[in-house]
Amino acid sequence: MEILWFLIAMCMLAAIIGPYVLRRGGGIRQVAPGSPDAADPAAYGFVRQELLDLRLPGPDQDLLDVLDLVQRTQDWRAASQLLAGTPKEGELRWQRVQAFAGAASLELQQQPGTGGSWLRTWRAESPKDAGGAAVHAEFLVQQAWRSSSAGADDFRIILEEARSVCSEAALLAPGDPVPYIVELAVARGLGYPHDQFDQVWAKVIDRAPAHMGAHLAALHYWCEKWHGSREEADHFATTAAARAPQGSLLAGLPLFAVYEHLPEVNLVAAFYESAVVTKAVEGALHATHSARPDDPVLPHVRHLLVLFLVRMERWAEAMHQLVRVDGHVGSLPWTHSGDPAAEYAVYRALAVAGYEANGGSPATLLH
């Protein structure tokens, strides 16, 4: 069985690395594992694949400490206190709501009937807690996507319940955009007409006009595979980027629009040299340079840049992103894979190999 998994992993690596192997002018040359010429990600201080954290895109030690406490004791109070102390208008509250809901949903999947009982207790014992209501709404959304097929009866039933809880959460916290951001996912699943979606969106931007997480949620709705088109998604993303205030990560939104419309299989190098991709990547790079270092959405943009920069063979720039996000893989594009850590590790290995094949080394990489 170990040999089978090794062969599968080698095939995945070969499929991705193929277009980059033996290129003219010092590309990547494949060597046997363990060879003196083999690039070693560990030389850069990167975290071993099995230790990569799947829960978050970047560090949030307060959240991780509370999550560990809640899951160990099944006592919801620490989660409530953390959310109560997290500003309503910022990105961090939305990410923490997602993390608590995701933890409860995963627990329930692993322990059917009993997992995530702390969230049920939270709602029963403190029904007027705005944080608990927001987490419950997001939990239902994640349950719908995790346990059902889009359009199925049970999928719609769960999302209808999520919509009701969103309304409840909004009443409990009038200035909080999070209940409406959760409803954006409900709108996508239930297929809100455009005018009804716009009404929800207006409530979001009234409360947090430059909220990157909200824009990412809305972008999904406008994508071709849901209720919009490639052109509508691009228009939404580029308009938001053009209106972005200084230091906002919204300048990176067009890259997410490009990613959402990538073909299932596209290893043609010319595509990644196109003006559309190059412009989106440059916009995202600019956003990372101008954003606050502690912006909680910054790791999301960096992770997506890793994928594009590797495919564009911009090895040094990919490495500069990797050293800033390594250790966490709970973000696009890795979470679209069945094994996010393995997917990330493949791209990380490619970046290291390409970097070293073109003269780079741990000593030349500035952190």
Side-chain angles (χ1 to χ4, degrees), residues 15 33 111 114 118 124 134 148 237 267 286 312 314 334 350:
Q111 307 164 48
T114 59
W118 54 269
S148 307
L267 298 175
H286 171 75
M312 297 168 81
R314 293 167 63 167
W334 324 122
L350 281 168

Side-chain angles (χ1 to χ4, degrees), residues 106-306:
L106 186 58
E107 277 187 44
L108 184 59
Q109 182 184 46
Q110 295 171 341
Q111 307 164 48
T114 59
S117 60
W118 54 269
L119 178 55
R120 294 190 290 276
T121 305
W122 185 357
R123 293 290 284 139
E125 294 182 355
S126 187
K128 301 300 183 183
D129 186 321
V135 172
H136 184 201
E138 173 64 15
F139 165 81
L140 289 169
V141 168
Q142 294 194 27
Q143 277 298 104
W145 294 103
R146 191 188 299 272
S147 62
S148 307
S149 299
D153 288 345
D154 55 345
F155 177 83
R156 297 188 64 85
I157 289 169
I158 297 172
L159 287 185
E160 289 287 0
E161 183 182 356
R163 175 159 58 180
S164 297
V165 180
C166 284
S167 298
E168 182 182 348
L171 290 173
L172 292 170
D176 189 353
V178 168
Y180 298 106
I181 299 175
V182 178
E183 192 176 352
L184 295 176
V186 175
R188 176 163 56 101
L190 292 180
Y192 281 20
H194 288 184
D195 59 345
Q196 186 180 359
F197 180 87
D198 287 339
Q199 290 172 16
V200 180
W201 180 240
K203 293 175 182 178
V204 173
I205 59 174
D206 279 349
R207 291 160 175 78
H211 198 292
M212 180 69 168
H215 280 79
L216 288 172
L219 177 64
H220 292 315
Y221 175 90
W222 291 113
C223 285
E224 187 175 61
K225 59 189 172 185
W226 288 106
H227 308 293
S229 65
R230 187 184 302 262
E231 292 73 24
E232 286 172 304
D234 180 65
H235 175 74
F236 176 80
T238 54
T239 300
R243 295 174 179 170
Q246 180 63 31
S248 169
L249 285 164
L250 285 174
L253 194 62
L255 187 63
F256 287 84
V258 171
Y259 173 73
E260 289 296 335
H261 293 92
L262 286 178
E264 288 295 323
V265 177
N266 192 323
L267 298 175
V268 180
F271 174 79
Y272 293 96
E273 297 167 1
S274 67
V276 170
V277 174
T278 300
K279 183 178 180 180
V281 166
E282 294 304 329
L285 286 169
H286 171 75
T288 63
H289 293 150
S290 60
R292 297 190 334 268
D294 63 344
D295 191 314
V297 185
L298 186 54
H300 288 274
V301 181
R302 293 195 187 281
H303 278 292
L304 192 60
L305 274 169
V306 168

Side-chain angles (χ1 to χ4, degrees), residues 5-169:
W5 282 115
F6 175 78
L7 290 174
I8 292 172
M10 289 300 100
C11 288
M12 288 176 59
L13 182 59
I16 296 173
I17 203 171
Y20 310 118
V21 176
L22 298 177
R23 287 184 179 267
R24 62 184 182 276
I28 301 172
R29 179 172 60 87
Q30 284 183 293
V31 296
S35 163
D37 294 327
D40 183 8
Y44 295 84
F46 290 145
V47 175
R48 296 207 317 265
Q49 178 179 326
E50 62 270 23
L51 298 179
L52 291 167
D53 194 321
L54 309 179
R55 297 171 292 180
L56 296 172
D60 183 349
Q61 195 56 51
D62 288 342
L63 172 63
L64 293 179
D65 290 344
V66 169
L67 259 179
D68 289 341
L69 177 63
V70 168
Q71 292 184 307
R72 186 174 68 253
T73 65
Q74 293 295 295
D75 188 335
W76 54 270
R77 277 178 269 270
S80 176
Q81 290 170 2
L82 182 66
L83 286 181
T86 305
K88 292 179 181 178
E89 66 279 359
E91 306 278 355
L92 194 58
R93 182 177 177 83
W94 169 229
Q95 291 202 166
R96 286 175 169 175
V97 165
Q98 286 183 298
F100 285 128
S105 180
L106 186 58
E107 277 187 44
L108 184 59
Q109 182 184 46
Q110 295 171 341
Q111 307 164 48
T114 59
S117 60
W118 54 269
L119 178 55
R120 294 190 290 276
T121 305
W122 185 357
R123 293 290 284 139
E125 294 182 355
S126 187
K128 301 300 183 183
D129 186 321
V135 172
H136 184 201
E138 173 64 15
F139 165 81
L140 289 169
V141 168
Q142 294 194 27
Q143 277 298 104
W145 294 103
R146 191 188 299 272
S147 62
S148 307
S149 299
D153 288 345
D154 55 345
F155 177 83
R156 297 188 64 85
I157 289 169
I158 297 172
L159 287 185
E160 289 287 0
E161 183 182 356
R163 175 159 58 180
S164 297
V165 180
C166 284
S167 298
E168 182 182 348

